Amino acid sequence: MAVTDEAIEKIKGMIVSGALRPGDRLPKESELAADLGLSRNSLREAVRALSLIRILDVRQGDGTYVTSLDPQLLLEALSFVVDFHRDDTVLEFLAVRRILEPAATAMAAPRISEQQLDALDAQLAKLGAQPSVEELVACDLEFHRGIVQSAGNSVLCSLLDGLSGPTTRARIWRGLTQEDAVAGTLREHRAILAALRDRDAEAARSWATVHIASVEQWLRSSL
């Protein structure tokens, strides 16, 4: 592993220094291994590892390229890792979401367009008063993603997308076991939307905090 780690660090160094830029094709394996003082086997392992986390793109029959290095692409690995959480750590993921999502919601308040607000409103109206738990969770994910995207920070949006795995499970569990969870979620969504329409960043932040904290509080008492 030490040899592979060294190979990873050397390729990383080339990308960070600008010797390899997004979209660039890596030199032939034999040439790159010789230039970096690596064995072809360790280089191959490093390329495989970096392709798994979307740093490199191995194209069969064409070569290996540096990806776009877009934050959304790079942070896809986060959601994969998050899926391996234990049930007793879901509260820690919710706590992180409680820090980030209200901030993103406040950032969105002056930026979100009227068209986007109307789309969110229509989404809630389409859901109806008594949706299934699955419908509610799907709407909840899209509702918050739409708001966070309006915050104008792709890194923040990707981080929150990656954290949605365990929190989605918590929301489903809550919907199945707590009678007023569906109505409460819809009320909180409406309150967040109203604050955004008023361009009231602090009210939007507060309602987003309440929304996440209510799930967190319920889950804490249930575990």
Side-chain angles (χ1 to χ4, degrees):
M1 285 302 298
V3 176
T4 302
D5 288 345
E6 180 187 0
I8 290 171
E9 285 300 316
K10 287 187 174 181
I11 297 173
K12 175 184 172 183
M14 292 179 70
I15 296 172
V16 171
S17 69
L20 285 173
R21 298 181 180 278
D24 282 356
R25 181 178 177 175
L26 269 65
K28 291 181 179 179
E29 184 182 271
S30 57
E31 296 174 6
L32 185 58
D35 289 344
L36 297 178
L38 301 168
S39 70
R40 293 179 68 172
N41 186 57
S42 62
L43 177 61
R44 201 172 294 128
E45 290 298 320
V47 167
R48 186 177 292 114
L50 290 169
S51 67
L52 287 174
I53 57 173
R54 305 291 195 268
I55 301 294
L56 298 178
D57 178 20
V58 180
R59 303 176 189 175
Q60 196 66 34
D62 186 21
T64 299
Y65 292 80
V66 181
T67 67
S68 65
L69 303 180
D70 182 83
Q72 186 172 0
L73 180 68
L74 298 182
L75 287 169
E76 280 182 5
L78 174 63
S79 60
F80 179 80
V81 172
V82 163
D83 283 340
F84 288 94
H85 82 287
R86 303 186 312 272
D87 287 341
D88 61 348
T89 61
V90 70
L91 282 168
E92 295 183 12
F93 287 107
L94 278 168
V96 174
R97 185 175 165 225
R98 180 160 48 84
I99 293 167
L100 297 178
E101 193 161 301
T105 304
M107 289 168 61
R111 295 177 172 88
I112 193 166
S113 70
E114 290 296 327
Q115 291 80 6
Q116 288 170 309
L117 289 169
D118 289 343
L120 292 173
D121 202 348
Q123 187 183 61
L124 295 181
K126 183 180 177 181
L127 196 61
Q130 294 183 316
S132 69
V133 173
E134 291 76 14
E135 289 171 335
L136 180 69
V137 169
C139 177
D140 188 58
L141 284 167
E142 289 305 314
F143 181 82
H144 292 291
R145 183 179 290 118
I147 293 171
V148 172
Q149 285 175 341
S150 299
N153 187 312
S154 61
V155 174
L156 186 56
C157 187
S158 297
L159 280 172
L160 285 166
D161 261 352
L163 290 169
S164 68
T167 56
T168 298
R169 288 177 60 183
R171 286 195 296 268
I172 292 174
W173 188 14
R174 184 185 187 212
L176 291 172
T177 59
Q178 188 171 316
E179 290 183 5
D180 63 345
V182 172
T185 296
L186 291 174
R187 284 195 302 270
E188 290 160 2
H189 280 179
R190 288 290 181 192
I192 292 169
L193 188 55
L196 290 172
R197 281 202 183 276
D198 290 341
R199 307 296 174 181
D200 189 334
E202 288 312 308
R205 183 197 306 272
S206 297
W207 275 112
T209 302
V210 167
H211 180 55
I212 300 164
S214 65
V215 178
E216 191 178 355
Q217 183 180 34
W218 167 82
L219 185 58
R220 193 182 301 279
S221 67
S222 302
L223 290 175

Coordinates of all heavy atoms in Angstrom, one line a residue, residues 38-91:
L38 N 8.2 5.1 -10.9 CA 7.3 4.1 -10.3 C 7.2 2.8 -11.1 O 7.6 2.8 -12.3 CB 5.8 4.7 -10.3 CG 5.6 5.9 -9.5 CD1 4.2 6.5 -9.8 CD2 5.7 5.7 -8.0
S39 N 6.8 1.7 -10.5 CA 6.6 0.5 -11.3 C 5.2 0.7 -12.0 O 4.4 1.4 -11.6 CB 6.5 -0.7 -10.4 OG 5.4 -0.7 -9.6
R40 N 5.1 0.0 -13.1 CA 3.8 0.1 -13.8 C 2.7 -0.5 -13.0 O 1.6 0.0 -13.1 CB 4.0 -0.6 -15.2 CG 4.9 0.0 -16.1 CD 5.1 -0.7 -17.4 NE 3.9 -0.6 -18.3 CZ 3.8 -1.0 -19.5 NH1 4.9 -1.5 -20.1 NH2 2.7 -1.0 -20.2
N41 N 3.0 -1.5 -12.2 CA 1.9 -2.1 -11.4 C 1.4 -1.1 -10.3 O 0.2 -0.9 -10.1 CB 2.4 -3.3 -10.7 CG 1.3 -4.0 -9.9 OD1 0.3 -4.4 -10.5 ND2 1.5 -4.2 -8.6
S42 N 2.3 -0.3 -9.7 CA 1.9 0.6 -8.6 C 1.2 1.8 -9.3 O 0.2 2.3 -8.7 CB 3.1 1.1 -7.8 OG 4.0 1.8 -8.7
L43 N 1.6 2.2 -10.5 CA 0.9 3.3 -11.2 C -0.5 2.8 -11.6 O -1.4 3.6 -11.4 CB 1.7 3.6 -12.5 CG 1.1 4.7 -13.4 CD1 0.9 6.0 -12.6 CD2 1.9 4.9 -14.7
R44 N -0.6 1.6 -12.0 CA -1.9 1.0 -12.4 C -2.9 1.1 -11.2 O -4.0 1.4 -11.3 CB -1.7 -0.4 -13.0 CG -2.9 -0.8 -13.8 CD -2.5 -2.2 -14.5 NE -1.4 -2.0 -15.4 CZ -0.3 -2.8 -15.4 NH1 -0.1 -3.7 -14.5 NH2 0.6 -2.6 -16.3
E45 N -2.4 0.7 -10.0 CA -3.2 0.6 -8.8 C -3.6 2.1 -8.4 O -4.7 2.3 -8.0 CB -2.4 0.0 -7.7 CG -2.2 -1.5 -7.8 CD -3.6 -2.3 -7.9 OE1 -4.5 -1.9 -7.1 OE2 -3.7 -3.2 -8.7
A46 N -2.7 3.0 -8.6 CA -3.0 4.4 -8.3 C -4.1 4.9 -9.2 O -5.0 5.6 -8.7 CB -1.7 5.2 -8.4
V47 N -3.9 4.7 -10.5 CA -4.9 5.1 -11.4 C -6.3 4.5 -11.1 O -7.3 5.2 -11.1 CB -4.5 4.7 -12.9 CG1 -5.7 4.9 -13.8 CG2 -3.3 5.6 -13.3
R48 N -6.3 3.2 -10.7 CA -7.6 2.6 -10.4 C -8.2 3.3 -9.2 O -9.4 3.6 -9.2 CB -7.3 1.1 -10.1 CG -8.6 0.3 -9.8 CD -8.4 -1.2 -9.6 NE -7.9 -1.8 -10.8 CZ -6.7 -2.3 -11.0 NH1 -5.8 -2.3 -10.0 NH2 -6.3 -2.9 -12.1
A49 N -7.4 3.6 -8.2 CA -7.9 4.2 -7.0 C -8.4 5.6 -7.3 O -9.5 6.0 -6.8 CB -6.8 4.3 -5.9
L50 N -7.7 6.4 -8.1 CA -8.1 7.8 -8.4 C -9.3 7.8 -9.3 O -10.1 8.8 -9.3 CB -6.9 8.5 -9.0 CG -5.8 8.8 -8.0 CD1 -4.6 9.3 -8.8 CD2 -6.2 9.8 -7.0
S51 N -9.5 6.7 -10.1 CA -10.7 6.7 -10.9 C -12.0 6.4 -10.1 O -13.1 6.9 -10.4 CB -10.6 5.6 -12.0 OG -10.6 4.3 -11.5
L52 N -11.8 5.7 -9.0 CA -12.9 5.4 -8.1 C -13.5 6.6 -7.4 O -14.7 6.7 -7.1 CB -12.5 4.4 -7.0 CG -12.4 2.9 -7.5 CD1 -11.8 2.1 -6.4 CD2 -13.7 2.4 -8.0
I53 N -12.6 7.6 -7.2 CA -13.1 8.8 -6.5 C -13.2 10.0 -7.5 O -13.2 11.2 -7.2 CB -12.2 9.2 -5.3 CG1 -10.7 9.4 -5.8 CG2 -12.3 8.2 -4.2 CD1 -9.8 9.9 -4.7
R54 N -13.3 9.6 -8.8 CA -13.6 10.6 -9.9 C -12.5 11.6 -10.1 O -12.8 12.7 -10.7 CB -15.0 11.3 -9.6 CG -16.1 10.3 -9.3 CD -16.5 9.6 -10.6 NE -17.8 9.0 -10.5 CZ -18.1 7.8 -10.1 NH1 -17.1 7.0 -9.8 NH2 -19.3 7.3 -10.1
I55 N -11.3 11.3 -9.8 CA -10.2 12.2 -10.1 C -9.7 11.9 -11.6 O -9.4 12.8 -12.3 CB -9.0 12.0 -9.2 CG1 -9.4 12.3 -7.7 CG2 -7.9 13.0 -9.6 CD1 -9.8 13.7 -7.5
L56 N -9.7 10.6 -11.9 CA -9.3 10.2 -13.2 C -10.5 9.4 -13.9 O -11.3 8.8 -13.2 CB -8.1 9.3 -13.2 CG -6.8 9.9 -12.6 CD1 -5.7 8.9 -12.6 CD2 -6.4 11.2 -13.4
D57 N -10.5 9.5 -15.2 CA -11.5 8.8 -16.0 C -10.7 7.8 -17.0 O -10.0 8.3 -17.9 CB -12.3 9.8 -16.8 CG -13.4 9.1 -17.7 OD1 -13.7 7.9 -17.4 OD2 -13.9 9.8 -18.6
V58 N -10.9 6.5 -16.7 CA -10.2 5.5 -17.6 C -11.2 5.2 -18.7 O -12.3 4.6 -18.5 CB -9.8 4.3 -16.8 CG1 -9.2 3.3 -17.7 CG2 -8.9 4.7 -15.6
R59 N -10.8 5.5 -19.9 CA -11.6 5.2 -21.1 C -11.0 4.1 -21.9 O -9.9 4.2 -22.4 CB -11.7 6.5 -22.0 CG -12.3 7.7 -21.2 CD -12.3 8.9 -22.1 NE -12.6 10.1 -21.3 CZ -12.6 11.3 -21.8 NH1 -12.2 11.5 -23.1 NH2 -12.9 12.4 -21.0
Q60 N -11.7 2.9 -21.9 CA -11.2 1.7 -22.5 C -10.8 2.0 -24.0 O -11.6 2.5 -24.8 CB -12.2 0.6 -22.4 CG -11.7 -0.8 -22.7 CD -10.7 -1.2 -21.6 OE1 -10.8 -0.9 -20.5 NE2 -9.7 -2.0 -22.0
G61 N -9.6 1.7 -24.3 CA -9.1 1.9 -25.7 C -8.8 3.3 -26.1 O -8.4 3.5 -27.2
D62 N -8.9 4.2 -25.2 CA -8.6 5.6 -25.5 C -7.6 6.2 -24.6 O -6.8 7.1 -25.0 CB -9.9 6.4 -25.4 CG -9.8 7.8 -25.8 OD1 -8.8 8.1 -26.6 OD2 -10.6 8.7 -25.4
G63 N -7.5 5.8 -23.4 CA -6.5 6.3 -22.4 C -7.2 6.8 -21.1 O -8.3 6.6 -20.9
T64 N -6.4 7.4 -20.3 CA -6.8 7.9 -19.0 C -6.7 9.4 -19.0 O -5.7 10.0 -19.3 CB -5.9 7.3 -17.9 OG1 -6.0 5.9 -17.9 CG2 -6.4 7.8 -16.5
Y65 N -7.8 10.0 -18.5 CA -7.9 11.5 -18.5 C -8.2 12.0 -17.1 O -8.8 11.3 -16.3 CB -9.1 11.9 -19.4 CG -8.9 11.7 -20.9 CD1 -9.1 10.4 -21.4 CD2 -8.5 12.7 -21.7 CE1 -8.9 10.1 -22.8 CE2 -8.3 12.4 -23.1 CZ -8.5 11.2 -23.6 OH -8.2 10.9 -24.9
V66 N -7.8 13.2 -16.9 CA -8.2 13.9 -15.7 C -9.6 14.4 -15.9 O -10.0 14.9 -17.0 CB -7.3 15.2 -15.4 CG1 -7.7 15.9 -14.1 CG2 -5.8 14.8 -15.3
T67 N -10.5 14.2 -14.9 CA -11.9 14.6 -15.0 C -12.0 16.1 -15.0 O -11.0 16.8 -14.8 CB -12.7 14.0 -13.9 OG1 -12.4 14.5 -12.6 CG2 -12.6 12.4 -13.8
S68 N -13.2 16.6 -15.0 CA -13.5 18.0 -14.9 C -13.1 18.5 -13.5 O -12.9 19.7 -13.3 CB -14.9 18.3 -15.1 OG -15.8 17.7 -14.1
L69 N -13.0 17.6 -12.5 CA -12.7 18.0 -11.1 C -13.8 18.9 -10.5 O -13.5 19.7 -9.6 CB -11.3 18.7 -11.0 CG -10.1 17.8 -11.5 CD1 -8.8 18.6 -11.3 CD2 -10.0 16.5 -10.7
D70 N -15.0 18.8 -11.1 CA -16.1 19.6 -10.6 C -16.5 19.1 -9.2 O -16.5 17.9 -9.0 CB -17.3 19.4 -11.6 CG -18.5 20.2 -11.1 OD1 -18.6 21.4 -11.5 OD2 -19.4 19.6 -10.4
P71 N -16.8 20.0 -8.3 CA -17.1 19.6 -6.9 C -18.2 18.5 -6.8 O -18.1 17.6 -6.0 CB -17.5 20.9 -6.2 CG -16.8 22.0 -7.0 CD -16.7 21.5 -8.4
Q72 N -19.2 18.7 -7.7 CA -20.3 17.8 -7.6 C -19.9 16.4 -8.0 O -20.3 15.4 -7.4 CB -21.4 18.2 -8.6 CG -22.7 17.3 -8.5 CD -23.8 17.9 -9.3 OE1 -23.7 18.9 -9.9 NE2 -25.0 17.2 -9.2
L73 N -19.0 16.3 -9.0 CA -18.4 15.0 -9.4 C -17.6 14.4 -8.3 O -17.7 13.2 -7.9 CB -17.6 15.2 -10.7 CG -17.0 13.9 -11.3 CD1 -18.0 13.0 -11.8 CD2 -16.0 14.3 -12.4
L74 N -16.7 15.2 -7.7 CA -15.7 14.7 -6.7 C -16.4 14.3 -5.4 O -16.0 13.3 -4.8 CB -14.7 15.8 -6.4 CG -13.8 16.2 -7.6 CD1 -12.8 17.2 -7.1 CD2 -13.1 15.0 -8.2
L75 N -17.5 15.0 -5.1 CA -18.2 14.7 -3.8 C -19.2 13.5 -4.0 O -19.9 13.2 -3.0 CB -18.9 15.9 -3.3 CG -17.9 17.0 -2.7 CD1 -18.6 18.3 -2.5 CD2 -17.3 16.4 -1.4
E76 N -19.3 12.9 -5.2 CA -20.2 11.8 -5.4 C -19.7 10.6 -4.4 O -20.5 9.8 -3.9 CB -20.2 11.3 -6.8 CG -21.1 12.1 -7.7 CD -21.0 11.5 -9.1 OE1 -20.4 10.5 -9.4 OE2 -21.6 12.1 -10.0
A77 N -18.4 10.6 -4.2 CA -17.8 9.5 -3.4 C -18.4 9.7 -1.9 O -18.5 8.7 -1.2 CB -16.3 9.6 -3.4
L78 N -18.7 10.9 -1.5 CA -19.2 11.1 -0.2 C -20.5 10.3 0.1 O -20.6 9.6 1.1 CB -19.4 12.6 0.1 CG -20.1 12.9 1.4 CD1 -19.2 12.5 2.6 CD2 -20.4 14.4 1.5
S79 N -21.4 10.4 -0.9 CA -22.7 9.7 -0.7 C -22.5 8.2 -0.6 O -23.2 7.4 0.1 CB -23.7 10.0 -1.8 OG -23.2 9.7 -3.1
F80 N -21.5 7.7 -1.4 CA -21.2 6.2 -1.3 C -20.7 5.8 0.1 O -21.1 4.8 0.6 CB -20.1 5.9 -2.4 CG -19.7 4.5 -2.4 CD1 -20.5 3.5 -3.1 CD2 -18.5 4.1 -1.8 CE1 -20.1 2.2 -3.1 CE2 -18.1 2.7 -1.9 CZ -18.9 1.8 -2.5
V81 N -19.8 6.6 0.6 CA -19.2 6.4 1.9 C -20.3 6.5 3.0 O -20.4 5.7 3.9 CB -18.0 7.3 2.2 CG1 -17.6 7.1 3.7 CG2 -16.9 7.0 1.3
V82 N -21.1 7.5 2.9 CA -22.2 7.8 3.9 C -23.1 6.6 4.0 O -23.6 6.3 5.1 CB -22.9 9.1 3.5 CG1 -24.2 9.2 4.3 CG2 -22.0 10.3 3.9
D83 N -23.4 5.9 2.9 CA -24.3 4.8 2.9 C -23.8 3.6 3.8 O -24.6 2.8 4.2 CB -24.5 4.2 1.5 CG -25.4 5.1 0.7 OD1 -26.1 5.8 1.2 OD2 -25.3 5.0 -0.6
F84 N -22.6 3.7 4.2 CA -22.0 2.6 5.1 C -22.1 3.0 6.6 O -21.6 2.3 7.5 CB -20.6 2.3 4.8 CG -20.4 1.6 3.5 CD1 -20.2 2.3 2.3 CD2 -20.5 0.2 3.4 CE1 -20.0 1.6 1.1 CE2 -20.4 -0.5 2.2 CZ -20.2 0.2 1.1
H85 N -22.9 4.1 6.9 CA -23.0 4.5 8.3 C -23.7 3.4 9.1 O -24.5 2.6 8.6 CB -23.8 5.8 8.4 CG -25.2 5.6 8.3 ND1 -25.9 5.3 7.2 CD2 -26.2 5.7 9.3 CE1 -27.2 5.1 7.4 NE2 -27.4 5.4 8.7
R86 N -23.5 3.5 10.4 CA -24.2 2.7 11.4 C -25.4 3.5 11.8 O -25.4 4.7 11.8 CB -23.4 2.3 12.6 CG -22.1 1.6 12.3 CD -21.4 1.1 13.5 NE -21.3 2.2 14.5 CZ -20.3 3.1 14.6 NH1 -19.4 3.0 13.7 NH2 -20.3 4.0 15.5
D87 N -26.5 2.8 12.2 CA -27.7 3.5 12.6 C -27.5 4.4 13.8 O -28.1 5.5 13.9 CB -28.8 2.5 13.0 CG -29.4 1.8 11.8 OD1 -29.2 2.3 10.7 OD2 -30.0 0.7 12.0
D88 N -26.5 4.1 14.7 CA -26.3 4.9 15.8 C -25.5 6.2 15.5 O -25.3 7.1 16.3 CB -25.6 4.2 17.0 CG -24.2 3.6 16.6 OD1 -23.9 3.6 15.3 OD2 -23.5 3.2 17.4
T89 N -25.0 6.3 14.2 CA -24.3 7.5 13.8 C -25.2 8.4 13.0 O -24.7 9.5 12.6 CB -23.0 7.2 13.0 OG1 -23.4 6.5 11.8 CG2 -22.1 6.4 13.9
V90 N -26.4 8.0 12.7 CA -27.3 8.9 11.9 C -27.5 10.2 12.5 O -27.6 11.3 11.8 CB -28.6 8.2 11.6 CG1 -29.5 8.1 12.8 CG2 -29.3 8.9 10.4
L91 N -27.5 10.3 13.8 CA -27.7 11.6 14.5 C -26.5 12.5 14.2 O -26.7 13.7 14.2 CB -27.8 11.4 16.1 CG -29.1 10.9 16.6 CD1 -29.0 10.4 18.0 CD2 -30.2 12.0 16.4

